[in-house]
Amino acid sequence: MVMTQRIAVLGATGSIGDSTLAILAAQPQLYTVYALSGYHRLDKLFALCQQFLPKRVSVPTAAVDDFAQRLRAAGLDIDVVGGEAGLVDIATDSQTDTVVAAIVGAAGLPSTLAAARAGKRILLANKEALVMAGQVMINAVKTHNATLLPLDSEHNAIFQCLPVAIQKDNTQIHQSDYGVRKLWLTASGGPFLQQSFEQMQQATVAEAVKHPNWSMGQKISVDSATMMNKGLELIEACHLFDLSEDKINVVIHPQSIIHSMVEYSDGSFLAQLGSPDMKTPIAHALSYPDRIDSGSQPLDLYALSGLEFIEPDLQKFACLRLARQAMQAGTQATIILNAANEIAVAAFLAGKIRLTDIADINEQALNDIQLPPLNEMADIEDILAIDKIARHLTGKLVANLWQS
């Protein structure tokens, strides 16, 4: 008898949650939804509880009592926990087999790291876990025999194109016998690829979040528009695959058909292709090392009219340049960059700054925020302390810009 895998979906009400739960619903013989979490969309979370009947659910601390009462009134016996502690509790629960880490932003770091230290199978969509605490996270995975599988389409594509030995142990990427020369992250170029920098300066929120290929949340859509998303993915890839940033290239591929590539020393490029649908990498990670039906639309090769590859304009997309600089500088810089970007993106979404101001604020934060050196193996408390300071000081930069 095949035992079903018990899944905790942290960030269940977002786009990654939607795709994950669609796959889980279609494969009830393989997966059980053990736990869910949500933050803003509690009505949607409640509906998911009714549909999937999880044993546990995590909500904001202030909403625990009301949400629990609402579940009871509906005749649902579900344990409700709250806040960061609730997320950590679910991530480390002995009944949780797999944690889908899909919480956006720094808020997802503590529970993801806790899952690693609990030896869980982690399906990682939360970039910040590696951007802010890359070496700490990777060491926790190895020390506690956890499994870390990337959900981002780009990192998942690279993972699929690497030899099994490297999939099992990322340090094997340095063995010359495997011949890995470089990794190539593909980027769509976002909604402003064909527009000038001056046009980007006038971009509205509605224009910035309208991604040409992918359906994503507002924050990640803005990051795609500035190419900060690709910068964060570059930092993430360095940690996932144990490479320095100079071994990872970024190429704009507007069709989003090739999701990333591995370049080998014999001149070969191995690429993973597919329709731009997050269900494909999620299904791969859920079932690894096996394969299941993702429910995504198969790629129609006959319908492809051409594939383009464009070198990124680092003046127009300065955030990508800043991400490389931060990775070169070390963990403290990547924490500051991530925090500054979250604050700047929130300010843009609130109509306080222009889209192009995001890169300026990020660069100013990197240059101006002076803190004592951080040990690369610092614990999460030190990491979150730097994150908090960086957010506070970036908030001042935004306020000064807004008032000027």
Side-chain angles (χ1 to χ4, degrees):
M1 180 180 178
V2 177
M3 295 293 291
T4 59
Q5 200 178 140
R6 292 163 298 198
I7 313 293
V9 184
L10 304 185
T13 59
S15 60
I16 296 293
D18 289 343
S19 295
T20 301
L21 290 169
I23 296 169
L24 299 181
Q27 303 281 352
Q29 75 282 7
L30 297 177
Y31 308 105
T32 299
V33 177
Y34 177 71
L36 299 171
S37 87
Y39 191 78
H40 291 298
R41 304 173 196 166
L42 295 186
D43 286 343
K44 180 175 181 179
L45 184 64
F46 179 76
L48 292 175
C49 288
Q50 291 178 303
Q51 179 181 355
F52 291 97
L53 304 177
K55 298 296 184 184
R56 309 191 71 189
V57 63
S58 179
V59 297
T61 303
V64 169
D65 291 341
D66 286 345
F67 201 82
Q69 184 176 1
R70 189 175 176 187
L71 290 173
R72 284 195 299 271
L76 300 176
D77 182 17
I78 299 174
D79 177 42
V80 183
V81 293
E84 180 182 300
L87 293 170
V88 169
D89 191 26
I90 285 175
T92 59
D93 189 325
S94 62
Q95 297 300 302
T96 298
D97 297 319
T98 296
V99 175
V100 177
I103 297 172
V104 176
L109 171 57
S111 55
T112 306
L113 183 56
R117 289 173 172 166
K120 300 298 184 182
R121 182 181 172 99
I122 303 163
L123 277 51
L124 185 67
N126 174 265
K127 293 178 176 61
E128 291 73 17
L130 292 178
V131 171
M132 296 173 64
Q135 202 55 52
V136 175
M137 184 73 189
I138 295 298
N139 283 4
V141 168
K142 293 182 177 181
T143 300
H144 299 281
N145 294 315
T147 300
L148 185 64
L149 298 168
L151 284 193
D152 269 347
S153 62
E154 296 82 1
H155 302 103
N156 182 270
I158 289 170
F159 184 89
Q160 292 194 50
C161 292
L162 289 169
V164 172
I166 299 176
Q167 293 178 355
K168 292 181 177 179
D169 177 5
N170 65 354
T171 63
Q172 292 295 306
I173 202 167
H174 303 291
Q175 297 297 317
S176 59
D177 290 352
Y178 295 120
V180 175
R181 180 181 287 164
K182 281 191 174 183
L183 307 182
W184 289 79
L185 290 170
T186 58
S188 69
F192 304 111
L193 176 61
Q194 303 300 334
Q195 297 189 26
S196 67
F197 179 79
E198 289 71 28
Q199 288 174 304
M200 281 183 67
Q201 286 181 311
Q202 306 303 318
T204 66
V205 169
E207 290 168 338
V209 300
K210 189 176 182 180
H211 196 280
N213 299 332
W214 297 92
S215 175
M216 306 181 293
Q218 282 197 320
K219 195 270 181 182
I220 194 172
S221 295
V222 173
D223 282 348
S224 180
T226 65
M227 283 196 74
M228 175 53 84
N229 191 45
K230 205 55 51 178
L232 296 177
E233 287 176 7
L234 185 149
I235 295 169
E236 188 180 3
C238 290
H239 293 296
L240 275 173
F241 305 112
D242 198 40
L243 290 176
S244 56
E245 57 80 26
D246 61 308
K247 296 293 186 182
I248 302 173
N249 286 358
V250 173
V251 60
I252 294 176
H253 168 52
Q255 292 77 28
S256 295
I257 296 299
I258 293 177
H259 297 300
S260 278
M261 299 171 280
V262 178
E263 178 184 350
Y264 286 90
S265 55
D266 62 4
S268 299
F269 278 69
L270 296 190
Q272 187 265 338
L273 288 71
S275 300
D277 186 338
M278 281 304 300
K279 289 197 291 292
T280 300
I282 292 169
H284 171 266
L286 275 170
S287 61
Y288 177 83
D290 299 326
R291 301 271 181 172
I292 60 171
D293 184 356
S294 68
S296 61
Q297 186 70 27
L299 184 63
D300 183 356
L301 293 176
Y302 296 118
L304 297 180
S305 58
L307 302 177
E308 298 174 89
F309 301 96
I310 304 165
E311 185 175 358
D313 180 344
L314 297 184
Q315 290 186 313
K316 180 177 173 182
F317 298 115
C319 285
L320 184 55
R321 169 179 57 82
L322 295 175
R324 282 197 183 276
Q325 292 175 0
M327 188 63 205
Q328 291 167 356
T331 298
Q332 182 164 284
T334 61
I335 296 170
I336 292 171
L337 178 64
N338 179 73
N341 185 66
E342 285 194 27
I343 296 299
V345 169
F348 168 69
L349 290 171
K352 296 180 179 179
I353 62 173
R354 299 175 300 179
L355 180 69
T356 50
D357 290 332
I358 293 173
D360 293 337
I361 290 168
N362 289 342
E363 186 159 26
Q364 193 173 351
L366 280 175
N367 292 335
D368 293 357
I369 296 176
Q370 302 297 320
L371 296 168
L374 175 73
N375 186 309
E376 290 295 306
M377 288 306 298
D379 205 352
I380 189 170
E381 289 78 14
D382 298 320
I383 291 169
L384 293 176
I386 291 174
D387 175 73
K388 184 176 180 180
I389 293 170
R391 289 170 186 274
H392 173 70
L393 295 177
T394 304
K396 289 186 175 182
L397 295 177
V398 169
N400 291 338
L401 184 63
W402 192 31
Q403 293 165 6
S404 63

